[in-house]
Structures are given as structure tokens and as C-alpha cells.
């Protein structure tokens, strides 16, 4: 199946099974804004819990906060967002579509990378076990030519972005003969800067309303609270502050479903370290975060790091954790070494000293910061993409099954009476009433048992229990495994012990130790 079709199916599946709905659906939606349905909210909460506990429970030097979305507007001046949180945009005059100039060029660079990868794959197939990839890359005239063009484009692009030279960005688009994917033409406007922050007014106009912003990241709420937390929590450097919350960006090109939204959620952790130790912590956090992703069991081949060559003005190292989405490897998380930029800026703009006194070295300094920043919604999309499976069954039917890690699944157990009579519903409800205190358990009696299994497969429920006539005598039920579809007879009294461990977030967290 083409990857594009897979993606369409995932989007449709999300809507059909109560995971994600377009916002304001009955008014035909609101671009790049989405609502989470009854199953989506459970999956999303589980992802957040997995992240939160991995930070706050597993590290005795990390604590959480929940700061407000509105903040003093000067914060966004200090952080650089008012002046520099811009995307370069360009319009195609024929299709009237708007694009990010940097994304158009990055896609072009990716095309060179794809071509090179294809050449290498072809050669690997030809030479089989004798294939020496490094040698081939260094000697194949075709690969060398592509690599040279790619590197030249990349260098030119990086220089233009670093200087934010909008004319040069446009010129690159023209020189590379990049066409609009909709109209197919090269009829481009000038490139303009566009600030991504939403603003609104606080207070009534009579007493002078103040322009405030909807935060475009949660990180600044951590920076401005860092000393409050350090002092009241008696934290010693190195320590971290974690936060989960909404962020807002007026994205120019909002597409790819919940990958790029205008209202989204972030899980950010700022780790405060002694100056000079930041590189060591940067690589530690890279490793820790990759482990967190891979513990979900989708396979290491789904992830890669993408180290930044073009660094933001405040960063001295940065990488993205990329995940193999149906539309290619894409960023889900950023890990940045932000130096002491943010704290120093807040010190300057607020006029207050926010230095940390280190009792071990007897000196005061502004800590350096390593940030891990992951989008909840992108994480959700990556989990959905990896979990969505269409399986051909022996009887010729296909089943759609979400192979979610059990710890993240919205519903852990469905209890199904074989028939709606003979006391079976009552027995089934008894089981639900007992187990619901331990994990999310639901009751379903509608339709044939086969249909009910399919329904649970489609939302990723790891276990189903069927109550039949024998149950009334032997107090045993049939326990069905979602992935293997194997069924075993187990005592009702053993259900909790068998299931609870496997479906808990703890089972995921234990893999991180
Ligand atoms: P991109 O380059 O894709 O715009 P970014 O580098 O600007 O992302 P960061 O500012 O590093 O992203 O934000 C950290 C994380 O927040 C991202 O890795 C992503 O998971 C998430 N994120 C950022 N923007 C959005 C958005 N518009 N919609 C959904 N998630 C987002």
C-alpha cells in the first residue's frame, strides 16, 4: 500500500474510532486545530503519564510545574520571540498557496538525499555481500555528483538562513527550479517574514489593555520560575523542571493532520547544569530520550537523530529525534543545549538577579540549560502510525488492529458476555466492577462476539475476556490476546494478576532503568 494511502487510512481511523476529530467539525472544521475523542484522550493521557513519570518519578532531581499560558509580554521580548520567532513565507501566484520558503528548500535537499540513498541501495543489491558502502559513496561518479550538488545547496541555504536573507532564499528557490506542487509553476512572490505568535488583549480598553501572547512554547514558564523552584525545593544543580502544557503557533503551512497544529501540547524539561558540563549532559539526555522512545517496542529502525548544523543563536548543540512517519522521517522531539541564553536574557529584561549560588564551588553563576522538548500530538501520531496494522487472516478476511503498547492503550480490557441472557451479562458486569479499580475496563454486549473482538482490535484493547455458560459453574473465562488472537481459559480470580502488570505504565518505565 502506498504510504500516502496508509496515512489517509490512519486519519480516517482516528475519526471513525473516536481518537481525533477535526475541531468545530459541524462548522466544517478549523484549520490545523483538532479535538481528541473518547479513545484519543485516554491514549494522549497515557503518553503524557509515561513522559511525566519517566521524568519526575525516575529522577530524584527533576520536579514538575504547571505555569500559566499567559505571561508577562516582556518575557517574549527577552526570549527573542517577538523579534525573531518568524518563518519565511512565499506564495505561488497561480495556485494562491502559501509555503514556508525554508521547507521548500529543505524538501529539495531531502530529494538529493533520497536519490543518493537509492543509488546506494541499488549498488548494495548488485554487489550483495561484497558491498562496501563507504567505498562506493567515495568513488561512484553519480553519487559524488549528487552529493556535491546537495552540499552546495545546503551550504547556500544555511548561509541564507543564518543571515535571514529573504532575497537569497527566493533566489535559491528560483535557481533550483522548485515548482509549486499544486500549480506546477514557478510563479513565486517575494519571501516575507511572518511572526508565529498569536496575540490578544488583556484587561479592558478603558484602563489600557495590554497586548499579551498565547505562549508558543512552555519552556519560558520554566525559565521564569527556575529560581522559585530551586529555592523552595532546595534543588541543587544539576536539576530539572518538567512541564506539560498547551502551546500556540500561527503556523503558515498547517498540514499533515496533527503533525503541525496551531494549538498543540508540549512536554518540556529544562535541565540546569554547571557551565562547562553541558556537552556531557547533552549526550546523556540524547541517550535517555532515545531509550524512552525505543522502550515502546516499535523497533530501533523507526528512529534516528538529526543533528542540527544550523544552530539557533542561543544554542551550542541541538538534535532532533526523528520518527519514521508514513510521510518519511520527521521530528518528534528536539534536544537542545541552550547555554545560559534564556536565563541571562530574563535577568537583563527583569532587572532581577537570578543567579544560582553553588554551595559546592562557592560561586554564583547562571546555569546552562539542556532542554528536551517533545510534542504530545506528534508523539500521538507516531504511536498511531506505528501501531496501525492491517492483517490478512487465514479465512481471507482482513482485520484492522492497533498494536499499541499495552501501557498506552486507551482501554486495557473488554469484558464480553457471549450472549445477552442466562445471567451472563450480570457475571460480566461483576468482573468489570471488580477490575475497573485497577485499569480501564469496559463492558460490551452488542453484536456477535467476532464483531466485538474486531471493535476492540481497532482501538487497540490488548485483552478481551469472554464470559460463557461454563463461567457460571467454573468461574473461568476465555482471555484473548489482541496481537496473537490466542485464547486461554483462566480463572476470574487470576485476571488482575495476569493483566495488571502488563498493561501498566510501570511496565514501560521499568525498561528505562
Ligand atoms: P518544526 O521545525 O517542525 O516547526 P520546531 O523545531 O519549531 O518544529 P520546537 O520549537 O523544537 O519545534 O518544538 C518542540 C516540539 O514541539 C517539536 O519537536 C514538535 O514535536 C512539537 N511541535 C512544534 N510545533 C508544533 C506544531 N505546530 N504542532 C504540533 N507539534 C509541534
Amino acid at each position: 500500500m502506498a504510504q500516502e494511502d496508509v496515512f489517509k487510512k490512519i486519519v480516517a481511523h482516528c475519526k471513525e474510532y473516536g481518537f481525533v476529530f477535526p475541531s468545530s467539525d459541524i462548522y466544517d472544521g478549523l484549520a490545523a486545530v483538532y479535538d481528541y475523542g473518547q479513545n484519543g484522550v485516554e491514549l494522549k493521557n497515557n503518553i503524557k503519564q509515561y513522559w511525566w513519570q519517566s521524568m519526575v518519578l525516575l529522577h530524584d532531581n527533576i520536579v514538575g510545574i504547571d505555569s500559566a499560558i499567559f505571561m508577562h509580554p516582556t518575557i517574549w521580548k527577552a526570549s527573542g520571540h517577538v523579534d525573531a520567532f518568524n518563518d519565511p513565507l512565499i506564495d505561488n501566484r497561480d495556485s494562491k498557496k502559501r509555503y514556508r520558503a525554508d521547507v521548500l528548500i529543505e524538501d529539495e535537499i531531502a530529494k538529493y538525499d533520497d536519490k543518493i540513498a537509492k543509488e546506494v541501495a541499488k549498488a548494495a543489491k548488485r554487489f550483495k555481500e561484497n558491498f562496501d558502502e563507504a567505498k562506493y559513496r567515495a568513488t561512484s561518479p553519480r553519487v559524488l555528483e549528487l552529493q556535491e550538488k546537495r552540499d552546495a545547496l545546503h551550504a547556500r541555504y544555511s548561509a541564507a538562513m543564518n543571515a535571514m536573507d529573504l532575497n537569497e532564499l527566493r533566489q535559491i528557490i528560483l535557481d533550483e527550479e522548485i515548482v509549486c506542487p499544486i500549480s506546477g509553476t514557478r510563479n513565486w512572490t517575494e519571501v516575507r517574514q511572518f511572526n508565529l505568535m498569536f496575540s490578544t488583549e488583556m484587561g479592558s480598553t478603558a484602563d489600557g489593555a495590554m497586548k499579551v501572547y498565547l505562549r508558543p512554547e512552555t519552556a519560558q514558564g520554566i525559565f521564569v520560575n527556575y529560581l522559585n523552584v530551586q529555592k523552595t525545593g532546595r534543588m541543587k544543580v544539576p536539576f530539572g523542571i518538567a512541564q506539560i502544557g498547551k502551546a500556540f503557533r500561527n503556523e503558515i503551512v498547517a498540514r499533515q493532520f496533527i503533525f503541525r497544529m496551531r494549538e498543540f501540547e508540549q512536554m518540556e524539561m529544562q535541565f540546569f547544569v554547571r557551565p562547562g558540563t553541558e556537552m556531557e549532559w547533552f549526550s546523556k539526555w540524547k541517550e535517555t530520550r532515545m531509550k524512552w522512545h525505543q522502550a515502546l517496542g516499535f523497533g530501533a529502525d523507526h528512529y534516528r537523530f538529526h543533528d542540527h548544523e544550523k544552530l539557533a543563536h542561543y544554542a551550542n548543540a541541538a538534535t532532533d529525534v526523528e520518527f519514521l512517519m508514513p510521510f518519511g522521517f520527521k521530528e518528534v522531539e528536539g534536544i537542545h543545549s541552550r547555554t545560559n541564553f534564556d536565563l541571562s536574557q530574563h535577568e537583563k529584561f527583569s532587572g532581577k538577579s537570578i543567579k544560582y549560588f553553588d554551595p559546592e564551588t562557592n560561586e554564583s553563576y547562571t546555569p546552562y540549560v539542556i532542554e528536551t522538548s517533545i510534542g504530545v500530538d506528534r508523539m500521538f501520531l507516531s504511536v498511531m502510525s506505528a501501531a496501525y496494522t492491517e492483517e490478512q487472516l487465514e479465512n481471507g478476511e482482513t482485520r484492522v488492529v492497533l498494536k499499541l503498547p499495552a501501557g498506552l492503550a486507551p482501554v486495557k480490557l473488554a469484558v464480553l458476555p457471549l450472549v445477552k441472557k442466562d445471567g451472563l451479562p450480570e457475571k460480566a458486569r461483576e468482573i468489570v466492577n471488580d477490575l475497573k479499580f485497577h485499569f480501564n475496563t469496559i463492558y460490551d454486549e452488542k453484536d456477535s462476539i467476532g464483531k466485538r473482538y474486531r471493535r476492540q482490535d481497532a482501538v487497540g484493547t490488548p485483552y478481551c475476556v469472554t464470559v460463557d455458560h461454563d463461567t457460571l459453574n467454573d468461574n473461568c473465562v476465555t482471555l484473548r490476546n489482541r496481537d496473537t488472537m490466542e485464547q486461554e481459559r483462566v480463572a476470574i480470580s487470576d485476571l488482575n494478576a495476569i493483566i495488571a502488570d502488563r498493561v501498566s505504565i510501570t511496565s514501560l518505565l521499568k525498561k528505562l532503568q
Side-chain angles (χ1 to χ4, degrees), residues 264-323:
F264 58 102
E265 220 169 341
Q266 288 186 315
M267 307 190 277
E268 297 197 295
M269 195 280 300
Q270 311 292 326
F271 199 71
F272 300 89
V273 305
R274 203 176 275 171
T277 63
E278 69 274 14
M279 284 309 159
E280 187 190 318
W281 284 108
F282 178 70
S283 42
K284 269 194 195 150
W285 277 108
K286 263 179 88 169
E287 194 189 315
T288 307
R289 293 303 304 145
M290 189 52 102
K291 213 167 168 190
W292 183 89
H293 284 281
Q294 293 191 357
L296 292 176
F298 295 129
D301 57 339
H302 279 68
Y303 305 88
R304 71 178 188 198
F305 283 118
H306 171 236
D307 293 334
H308 289 207
E309 287 153 63
K310 173 194 175 280
L311 295 174
H313 58 286
Y314 50 76
N316 62 4
T319 194
D320 295 334
V321 177
E322 293 187 337
F323 183 85

Side-chain angles (χ1 to χ4, degrees), residues 142-348:
R142 176 82 185 124
V143 169
L144 287 174
E145 184 197 332
L146 287 168
Q147 191 67 45
E148 197 180 319
K149 282 191 182 158
R150 184 236 177 251
D151 291 346
L153 173 58
H154 186 266
R156 199 175 161 199
Y157 164 65
S158 300
M161 284 299 281
N162 279 328
M164 254 309 153
D165 183 342
L166 303 183
N167 290 333
E168 173 67 354
L169 285 175
R170 179 169 192 269
Q171 200 53 50
I172 296 175
I173 290 172
L174 297 180
D175 293 350
E176 286 291 318
E177 302 187 342
I178 297 174
V179 296
C180 163
I182 307 288
S183 67
T185 70
R186 285 181 254 151
N187 193 3
W188 297 110
T189 62
E190 296 304 305
V191 177
R192 277 164 296 149
Q193 288 284 33
F194 179 80
N195 192 287
L196 299 182
M197 279 201 294
F198 286 99
S199 63
T200 185
E201 310 243 296
M202 184 176 266
S204 73
T205 10
D207 52 39
M210 176 164 67
K211 183 177 178 181
V212 292
Y213 298 98
L214 272 71
R215 66 179 177 198
E217 61 174 31
T218 61
Q220 298 304 324
I222 296 181
F223 291 128
V224 298
N225 275 300
Y226 117 92
L227 210 56
N228 282 339
V229 173
Q230 188 273 319
K231 286 197 167 138
T232 55
R234 300 200 304 278
M235 311 298 290
K236 280 205 184 102
V237 163
F239 73 93
I241 304 179
Q243 163 154 252
I244 300 178
K246 287 268 173 138
F248 306 82
R249 297 182 188 180
N250 197 1
E251 299 280 2
I252 302 164
V253 191
R255 54 182 172 167
Q256 289 165 328
F257 191 41
I258 54 172
F259 181 79
R260 191 171 297 288
M261 302 156 92
R262 297 202 164 104
E263 173 180 341
F264 58 102
E265 220 169 341
Q266 288 186 315
M267 307 190 277
E268 297 197 295
M269 195 280 300
Q270 311 292 326
F271 199 71
F272 300 89
V273 305
R274 203 176 275 171
T277 63
E278 69 274 14
M279 284 309 159
E280 187 190 318
W281 284 108
F282 178 70
S283 42
K284 269 194 195 150
W285 277 108
K286 263 179 88 169
E287 194 189 315
T288 307
R289 293 303 304 145
M290 189 52 102
K291 213 167 168 190
W292 183 89
H293 284 281
Q294 293 191 357
L296 292 176
F298 295 129
D301 57 339
H302 279 68
Y303 305 88
R304 71 178 188 198
F305 283 118
H306 171 236
D307 293 334
H308 289 207
E309 287 153 63
K310 173 194 175 280
L311 295 174
H313 58 286
Y314 50 76
N316 62 4
T319 194
D320 295 334
V321 177
E322 293 187 337
F323 183 85
L324 186 56
M325 301 273 187
F327 41 90
F329 270 104
K330 296 284 166 194
E331 168 184 347
V332 287
E333 171 159 7
I335 302 167
H336 312 123
S337 172
R338 293 179 77 125
T339 67
N340 61 0
F341 172 78
D342 303 87
L343 293 181
S344 305
Q345 285 292 97
H346 290 308
E347 190 155 42
K348 195 158 111 198

